[in-house]
């Protein structure tokens, strides 16, 4: 009899309720309270039919006022809002990629940042037509980094990584004018198109949304992923733990939060420094524990085995434990509420980026050039704060799960090779996975991604959808906060194979994998695109024909809309559990749920009933299988 036991949502919610009691004692605010104050939400905003892009308004569309002052109707207003949302997300992820390019550019043999995967660097250089013979590895790194930085503003051509897609998808992109040019140009063009007096034709606005999304997924995000691998190592399976119980009461607890691994890698480096550990003991602690929240947590978990304290909506919980000496953040998805919340405890809220400056924080400006001194100063600050703890406020929930993380495309190819015992050639093959799918052992795959959203019971959608999929022999590949939801519940424990259908369970046993594969952070959804492209090439199919779908059941950010656009533009049907604010235009809704198929062979499905959403995904996978005769 298996001893495996999932952590239930009810148990997680009970732990949160206990932490909120502590918060109430010290007068701390919490997102649960803020949601109540903000409900009900603005219905005009939820339908996407309010416009404030000029000072003649703001305008909002009603039956009595079907056009704004300029004459734009609901379809144009909703379309412009959707494109602005996409542009914001594409800019954010791509700027992350730009920072990683810069970090690669300053890497050196005797510096803070070194090349840890020279083989991948050489492969990328050859892919981009850069001469590699006889070059010092750091000279090559700088040349590749500079070439990558040029992808943001080059005057001619399209994104280099588009060539990784099957020729069929590249042809669709070219024929429908979806192939993105320079990344910054696509974002700038999006903002130009949404300026007053420019585009109001839904088809044009949706096409640009797809193009801007592709500039992110096959441009900025893909460079962020690939160059992070070059710098910090390409992930391979590593064991770790997840949920709030990873924090250690006797230790200095440093929580890293955000998205840029340049910072978190350095924090981890100095937290492991014997000098810093000795200093922590001097201050009365037994040692130093680094854990993570959000995507920077995924980054260090899959490369270093650093435990994951939680995902997006748990970021306040780590402070509410009363045992967090410092929550150190970089960019994206950071609650400004962490400042005033930290002041209710002893916690240092440390901001590090000029892009993400917030009130009530300790600002330590972090840069690749000064990374060592910055990280050391932050770790030292946390250690010295240990003595300021209030023991009566300390409560760390006793819950954590085992998780195996770090399934890069390279790692997936390697581990699934064990299923059929075929030989992996030097470029890698996905044939074992294809054999599992065509034989019916695995029915298909779902790429589960995205945030938490208070509009849906946090983590419920991720966990319940995953459970039903694996019961039906559908393997899950997960990233971002979705991956952490799985890890917290125990679905990334190899013992979770007992929750699977007979076929997937057998694959998990043979390949020694969990049924939910951790692919990394939200920029690493680009890995999923590479995996889908490789599967399609190896199978001789269009990507859209594969029995694979994407799903973001609890998405909330602009980045998620950009991701959704590049996933469907890549040919993967994508299922959403939260409406993308287009309900006010039947034309926009039709384009996004059906019309995009003519350009990229995929579209969105929106279903806010989570039980229905998973049934629709399974039905779509079975439909794709039937079309292939498998």
């Amino acid at each position: 009899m298996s001893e495996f036991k999932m952590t239930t949502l009810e148990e997680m919610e009970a732990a949160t309720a206990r932490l909120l009691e502590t918060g109430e004692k010290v007068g701390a605010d919490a997102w649960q309270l803020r949601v109540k104050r903000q409900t009900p939400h603005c219905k005009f905003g939820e339908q996407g039919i309010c416009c404030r892009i000029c000072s003649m308004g703001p305008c909002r569309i009603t039956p009595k006022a079907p056009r704004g002052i300029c004459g734009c109707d609901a379809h144009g207003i909703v379309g412009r809002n959707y494109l602005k949302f996409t542009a914001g997300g594409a800019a954010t992820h791509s700027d992350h990629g730009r920072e990683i390019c810069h970090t690669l550019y300053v890497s050196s043999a005797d510096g803070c940042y070194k090349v840890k995967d020279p083989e991948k660097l050489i492969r990328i250089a050859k892919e981009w037509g850069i001469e590699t013979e006889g070059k010092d590895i750091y000279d090559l790194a700088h040349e590749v980094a500079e070439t990558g930085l040029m992808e943001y503003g080059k005057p001619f051509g399209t994104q280099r990584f588009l060539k990784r897609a099957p020729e069929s998808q590249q042809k669709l992109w070219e024929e429908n004018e979806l192939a993105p040019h320079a990344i910054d140009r696509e974002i700038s063009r999006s903002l130009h198109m949404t300026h007053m007096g420019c585009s109001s034709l839904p088809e044009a606005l949706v096409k640009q949304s797809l193009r801007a999304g592709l500039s992110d997924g096959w441009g900025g995000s893909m460079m962020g992923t690939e160059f992070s691998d070059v710098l910090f190592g390409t992930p391979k399976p590593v064991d770790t733990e997840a949920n709030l119980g990873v924090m250690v009461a006797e230790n200095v607890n440093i929580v890293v939060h955000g998205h840029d691994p340049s910072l978190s890698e350095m924090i981890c480096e100095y937290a492991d420094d014997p000098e810093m550990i000795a200093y922590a003991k001097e201050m009365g602690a037994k040692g130093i524990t680094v854990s993570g929240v959000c995507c920077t947590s995924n980054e260090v978990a899959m490369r270093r085995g650093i435990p994951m304290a939680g995902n997006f909506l748990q970021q306040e919980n780590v402070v509410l434990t009363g045992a967090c000496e410092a929550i150190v953040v970089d960019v994206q998805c950071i609650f400004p509420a962490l400042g005033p919340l930290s002041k209710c405890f002893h916690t240092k809220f440390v901001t590090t980026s000029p892009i993400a400056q917030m009130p009530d924080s300790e600002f330590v400006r972090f840069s690749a050039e000064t990374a060592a001194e910055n990280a050391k100063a932050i770790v030292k600050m946390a250690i010295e704060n240990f003595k300021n703890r209030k023991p009566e406020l300390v409560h760390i929930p006793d819950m954590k799960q085992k998780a195996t993380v770090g399934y890069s495309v390279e790692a997936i190819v390697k581990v699934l090779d064990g299923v059929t015992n075929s030989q992996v050639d030097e470029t890698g093959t996905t044939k074992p996975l294809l054999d599992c799918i065509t034989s019916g052992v695995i029915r298909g795959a779902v790429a589960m991604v995205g945030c938490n959203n208070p509009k849906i019971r946090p983590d419920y959608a991720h966990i319940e959808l995953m459970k039903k999929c694996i019961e039906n022999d559908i393997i899950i590949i997960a990233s971002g906060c979705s991956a952490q939801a799985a890890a917290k519940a125990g679905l990334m424990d190899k013992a979770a194979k007992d929750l699977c259908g007979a076929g997937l369970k057998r694959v998990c046993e043979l390949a020694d994998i969990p049924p939910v594969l951790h692919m990394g952070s939200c920029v690493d959804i680009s890995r999923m695109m590479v995996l889908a492209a490789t599967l399609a090439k190896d199978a001789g199919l269009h990507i859209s024909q594969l029995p694979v779908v994407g799903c973001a059941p609890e998405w909330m950010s602009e980045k998620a809309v950009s991701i959704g656009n590049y996933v469907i533009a890549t040919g993967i049907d994508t299922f959403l559990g939260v409406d993308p604010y287009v309900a006010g235009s039947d034309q926009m809704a039709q384009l996004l749920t059906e019309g995009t198929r003519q350009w990229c062979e995929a579209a969105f499905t929106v279903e806010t009933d989570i039980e229905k959403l998973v049934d629709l995904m399974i039905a779509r996978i079975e439909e794709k299988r039937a079309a292939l005769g498998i």
Side-chain angles (χ1 to χ4, degrees), residues 121-126 130-136 140 144:
L121 175 64
I122 292 166
R123 285 201 306 273
I124 294 169
K126 288 179 177 177
I130 297 171
E131 181 58 52
T132 62
E133 284 300 315
K135 284 185 181 173
D136 174 82
L140 183 62
V144 169

Side-chain angles (χ1 to χ4, degrees), residues 424-465:
V424 176
D425 63 35
E426 62 183 22
T427 58
T429 176
T430 60
K431 187 177 182 298
L433 180 54
L434 289 166
D435 289 345
C436 287
I437 292 171
T438 54
S439 67
V441 175
I442 293 176
R443 306 300 296 173
V446 172
M448 194 82 73
V449 304
C451 335
N452 301 126
N453 190 321
K455 289 185 174 182
I456 295 176
R457 184 181 177 190
D459 292 334
Y460 169 79
H462 295 297
I463 293 168
E464 292 305 310
L465 290 174

Side-chain angles (χ1 to χ4, degrees), residues 530-598:
V530 172
L531 179 59
T534 306
L535 281 165
K537 288 176 189 174
D538 288 349
L541 299 171
H542 289 208
I543 291 176
S544 62
Q545 293 176 289
L546 297 171
V548 173
V549 301
C551 182
E554 301 181 30
W555 75 271
M556 65 87 203
S557 72
E558 292 174 319
K559 294 182 299 179
V561 175
S562 177
I563 291 165
N565 281 317
Y566 75 67
V567 173
I568 65 166
T570 300
I572 302 171
D573 285 314
T574 298
F575 292 73
L576 306 177
V578 177
D579 187 88
Y581 296 167
V582 298
S585 165
D586 57 359
Q587 291 182 24
M588 279 294 296
Q590 192 280 330
L591 276 168
L592 292 172
T593 58
E594 195 57 46
T596 55
R597 292 190 190 282
Q598 66 184 306

Side-chain angles (χ1 to χ4, degrees), residues 371-388:
E373 61 186 85
N374 299 151
K376 188 172 183 178
I378 290 168
V379 172
K380 191 175 180 185
M381 181 194 303
I383 292 169
E384 291 170 350
N385 196 28
F386 181 77
K387 64 181 181 295
N388 296 321

Side-chain angles (χ1 to χ4, degrees), residues 64-142:
K64 289 183 179 179
R67 292 182 181 272
I69 290 168
C70 71
C72 191
D73 61 14
H75 312 300
I77 289 172
V78 171
R80 288 189 309 215
N81 288 337
Y82 185 81
L83 177 52
K84 275 185 178 288
F85 222 71
T86 302
T92 304
H93 262 168
S94 292
D95 217 31
H96 172 159
R98 191 192 323 256
E99 286 300 314
I100 298 298
C101 285
H102 176 71
T103 303
L104 181 62
Y105 188 77
V106 302
S107 64
S108 65
D110 57 355
C112 299
Y113 297 106
K114 296 177 173 59
V115 170
K116 290 191 177 177
D117 191 341
E119 291 81 12
K120 176 166 265 196
L121 175 64
I122 292 166
R123 285 201 306 273
I124 294 169
K126 288 179 177 177
E127 181 182 354
W128 283 2
I130 297 171
E131 181 58 52
T132 62
E133 284 300 315
K135 284 185 181 173
D136 174 82
I137 199 67
Y138 287 98
D139 289 339
L140 183 62
H142 302 158

Side-chain angles (χ1 to χ4, degrees), residues 288-309:
I288 302 171
T289 295
V290 178
S291 60
V293 168
C294 251
C295 279
T296 202
S297 174
N298 286 309
E299 297 276 5
V300 291
M302 65 185 175
R303 294 192 176 94
R304 291 175 171 265
I306 296 295
M308 299 182 283

Side-chain angles (χ1 to χ4, degrees), residues 329-403:
V329 305
D330 44 71
V331 293
Q332 304 168 27
C333 300
I334 299 147
F335 278 176
L338 288 175
L341 175 63
S342 294
K343 289 196 173 302
C344 295
F345 293 85
H346 76 298
T347 306
K348 297 283 188 184
F349 174 42
V350 184
T351 53
T352 60
S353 172
I355 289 170
Q357 298 184 59
M358 297 183 187
D360 298 313
S361 70
E362 308 260 352
F363 183 61
V364 177
R365 186 165 186 152
F366 183 88
S367 74
E369 291 82 356
T370 59
E373 61 186 85
N374 299 151
K376 188 172 183 178
I378 290 168
V379 172
K380 191 175 180 185
M381 181 194 303
I383 292 169
E384 291 170 350
N385 196 28
F386 181 77
K387 64 181 181 295
N388 296 321
R389 262 197 204 174
K390 298 171 184 173
E392 70 277 11
L393 297 179
V394 173
H395 171 74
I396 299 173
D398 184 19
M399 56 169 57
K400 60 183 176 181
Q401 286 279 5
K402 294 178 183 177

